[in-house]
Amino acid sequence: MNERQRITLHEVVYDILPKLKAAEVMIDNTLLAILKATEEPLEQARRRDQQDTMELELFTIRLNIKHLLTRYSQDMQAMRESEENGAATGEGPVLTLDDGEAQAIEKAKMLHERLVAMQKLSC
């Protein structure tokens, strides 16, 4: 098993999931702002296609991460209970990813990076 196919539960919950939420907001806000500012029909069509592609990518990432969290739901519940009780959880358990989940984690990171770069260019 390679390094790419292992991740801590803490990283999923406190790094990957917030990046997905931010990506969702950026897709809505940044591309919408770009669309509103663009008057050329070809550019508008390109940006709509770009938005559709990113939304589809986000959907498939979410499906795979949901699958991961379902497989590790007991660990997730234990971490949540420890946090609620004020116990230190550290990094939590190390999760073993299947190929789809590993790809989703990598794609989530890359999608977030692309959207941050796009947002910087549009400002």
Side-chain angles (χ1 to χ4, degrees):
M1 184 127 336
N2 62 32
E3 187 63 32
R4 178 186 122 186
Q5 292 184 303
R6 298 174 64 79
I7 191 170
T8 65
L9 181 56
H10 186 271
E11 187 177 353
V12 172
V13 172
Y14 294 106
D15 183 41
I16 302 302
L17 292 179
K19 283 181 179 174
L20 280 177
K21 183 62 181 167
E24 189 175 277
V25 169
M26 284 187 267
I27 287 170
D28 290 341
N29 294 341
T30 303
L31 287 174
L32 184 62
I34 291 170
L35 275 169
K36 284 183 178 180
T38 303
E39 294 183 15
E40 187 177 322
L42 288 176
E43 181 64 12
Q44 287 178 340
R46 187 179 80 78
R47 292 300 184 166
R48 279 192 205 95
D49 286 346
Q50 187 178 35
Q51 183 176 19
D52 291 345
T53 300
M54 287 182 176
E55 286 174 350
L56 179 60
E57 189 174 351
L58 187 61
F59 176 76
T60 59
I61 291 167
R62 285 195 179 281
L63 282 179
N64 279 290
I65 290 179
K66 181 179 179 183
H67 180 261
L68 174 67
L69 293 177
T70 299
R71 285 195 310 118
Y72 287 98
S73 62
Q74 290 178 337
D75 292 314
M76 182 79 173
Q77 183 63 31
M79 188 171 100
R80 187 177 300 133
E81 288 172 3
S82 291
E83 288 175 347
E84 287 173 358
N85 293 329
T89 59
E91 292 295 307
V94 175
L95 312 181
T96 301
L97 308 174
D98 66 24
D99 287 340
E101 295 163 349
Q103 288 176 5
I105 295 294
E106 288 304 311
K107 285 182 179 182
K109 292 175 183 177
M110 291 181 346
L111 179 63
H112 184 264
E113 289 171 9
R114 277 193 347 242
L115 287 163
V116 167
M118 182 185 296
Q119 193 173 41
K120 286 179 182 176
L121 289 174
S122 70
C123 293

